[in-house]
């Protein structure tokens, strides 16, 4: 179910979409369609995938017609195949036509994210690894993009810069090393905040382990080097594999023994799921 914070985020984005797409009005629809005419429409899947974003699509149409009658045939998080009717809705004909592209832009993007997350989860079936997203989201879409990741069966990493410590290479360089960076953070940050450190070699892994951090990221390592690092850590910290993670590679990475695999492509390289709107009466 979509939480209110995510839906509120969608409403802010809708206002931007309205301004850029409609301006002073839909001159084609408003000059061809009777303002009192009602019709029924359907969203139809044209490709295999996982649907996500139906509450947002419904919200879009209700912005134009508060009396819209909406019925979901296939709920968010469900698999679809070509020809499946995802939702059916009846309302003002002008509203259905003017709202169509905005509703589909949301629905197709979020369903594309959910679909790719689902494929990644299928790829690692039988392992205990958790697939994570990243902060590589479309600006303004983070709540929605991360919602779609969950609908696809994967999990969310930190939401922003404020809810988890992530010590990366530039932080390490400025602080003078991993140990110094962790010590400085611990003096200023509550103990309840988890600390993760990015590492690129065995020496850094050993230093992060000695600093007793919560999560050690193995960044842009080969699978064989990851396995060596996993053995060194030996369950004394959680392990995240990151960097150049593709769906073709993640099963091999999962078998190295890491706990998490973070995949930026879940949200930064979205292929929209093909969904169409059709008027049925």
């Amino acid at each position: 179910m979509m939480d209110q914070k995510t839906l509120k985020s969608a409403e802010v984005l809708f206002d931007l979409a309205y301004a850029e797409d409609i301006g002073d009005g839909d001159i084609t629809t408003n000059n061809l369609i009777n303002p009192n005419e009602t019709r029924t429409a359907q969203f139809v899947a044209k490709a295999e995938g996982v649907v996500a974003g139906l509450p947002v699509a419904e919200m879009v149409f209700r912005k134009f017609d508060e009396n819209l009658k909406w019925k979901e045939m296939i709920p968010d998080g469900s698999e679809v195949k070509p020809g499946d009717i995802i939702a059916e809705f009846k309302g003002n004909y002008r509203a259905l036509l003017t709202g169509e592209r905005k509703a589909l832009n949301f629905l197709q993007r979020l369903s594309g994210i959910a679909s790719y997350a689902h494929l990644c989860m299928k790829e690692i079936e039988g392992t205990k690894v958790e697939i994570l997203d990243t902060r590589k989201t479309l600006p303004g879409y983070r709540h929605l993009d991360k919602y779609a990741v969950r609908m696809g069966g994967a999990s969310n990493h930190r939401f922003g810069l404020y809810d988890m410590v992530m010590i990366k290479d530039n932080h390490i360089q400025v602080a003078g090393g991993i140990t110094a960076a962790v010590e400085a953070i611990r003096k200023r940050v509550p103990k309840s905040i988890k600390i993760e450190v990015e590492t690129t070699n065995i020496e850094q892994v050993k230093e992060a382990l000695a600093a007793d951090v919560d999560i050690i990221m193995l960044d842009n390592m080969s699978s064989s080097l990851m396995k060596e690092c996993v053995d060194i850590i030996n369950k004394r910290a959680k392990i995240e594999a990151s960097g150049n993670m593709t769906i073709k590679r993640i099963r091999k990475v999962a078998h190295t023994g890491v706990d998490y695999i973070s995949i930026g492509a879940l949200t930064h390289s979205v292929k929209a799921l093909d969904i169409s709107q059709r008027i049925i009466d």
Side-chain angles (χ1 to χ4, degrees), residues 18-271:
Y18 184 101
E20 71 183 4
D21 195 39
I22 297 177
D24 294 330
D26 181 348
I27 60 173
T28 308
T29 297
N30 292 348
N31 284 288
L32 287 177
I33 305 300
N34 185 310
N36 299 314
E37 188 173 352
T38 61
R39 290 291 183 94
T40 302
Q42 294 175 334
F43 281 144
V44 182
K46 299 179 71 177
E48 290 186 2
V50 172
V51 65
L54 285 169
V56 182
E58 179 184 358
M59 176 272 292
V60 169
F61 286 117
R62 290 198 185 282
K63 292 289 187 179
F64 297 100
D65 180 4
E66 61 183 15
N67 296 314
L68 180 82
K69 294 180 179 179
W70 175 271
K71 182 179 181 181
E72 290 182 9
M73 306 295 193
I74 300 174
D76 272 10
S78 301
E79 293 183 61
V80 294
K81 60 184 184 302
D84 282 349
I85 299 170
I86 299 170
E88 184 171 298
F89 40 101
K90 183 176 183 179
N92 180 274
Y93 196 12
R94 285 189 178 184
L96 299 185
L97 295 180
T98 302
E100 175 181 0
R101 178 41 50 198
K102 284 157 288 300
L104 282 174
N105 282 348
F106 283 115
L107 186 61
Q108 289 178 315
R109 174 183 175 82
L110 299 186
S111 296
I113 292 172
S115 298
Y116 191 66
H118 177 70
L119 289 176
C120 290
M121 293 303 295
K122 287 180 68 175
E123 191 66 21
I124 61 160
E125 277 182 345
T127 74
K128 296 181 180 179
V129 173
E130 198 171 342
I131 297 293
L132 302 178
D133 57 20
T134 70
R135 290 171 44 245
K136 297 175 182 177
T137 54
L138 191 65
Y141 271 76
R142 186 159 297 170
H143 281 285
L144 290 171
D145 284 359
K146 284 182 172 285
Y147 167 82
V149 166
R150 297 194 302 273
M151 290 300 99
S155 302
N156 297 148
H157 206 317
R158 59 177 177 160
F159 190 86
L161 295 172
Y162 55 85
D163 58 0
M164 179 179 172
V165 172
M166 175 76 79
I167 301 174
K168 306 190 82 172
D169 54 354
N170 289 327
H171 302 121
I172 294 167
Q173 183 177 359
V174 168
I178 290 174
T179 304
V182 173
E183 288 176 351
I185 285 289
R186 285 209 169 107
K187 291 177 182 178
R188 297 172 174 84
V189 175
K191 292 182 179 179
S192 59
I193 302 294
K194 289 184 177 181
I195 299 176
E196 180 169 0
V197 173
E198 177 186 273
T199 64
T200 58
N201 55 56
I202 289 176
E203 289 70 27
Q204 287 185 330
V205 167
K206 289 179 178 178
E207 187 176 358
L209 192 59
D212 195 27
V213 300
D214 299 289
I215 306 170
I216 297 175
M217 177 193 290
L218 309 180
D219 189 47
N220 283 299
M221 292 186 183
S222 66
S223 299
S224 59
L225 181 56
M226 280 185 194
K227 182 65 173 70
E228 191 172 349
C229 291
V230 168
D231 291 340
I232 291 170
I233 296 167
N234 193 27
K235 301 186 183 301
R236 287 177 286 173
K238 292 292 186 180
I239 306 170
E240 175 187 344
S242 183
N244 194 31
M245 292 297 159
T246 65
I247 197 166
K248 293 180 179 179
R249 186 187 178 203
I250 58 175
R251 187 163 188 84
K252 186 175 182 180
V253 171
H255 282 299
T256 64
V258 299
D259 299 288
Y260 313 112
I261 300 175
S262 57
I263 305 176
L266 287 177
T267 54
H268 74 54
S269 301
V270 181
K271 180 182 179 181

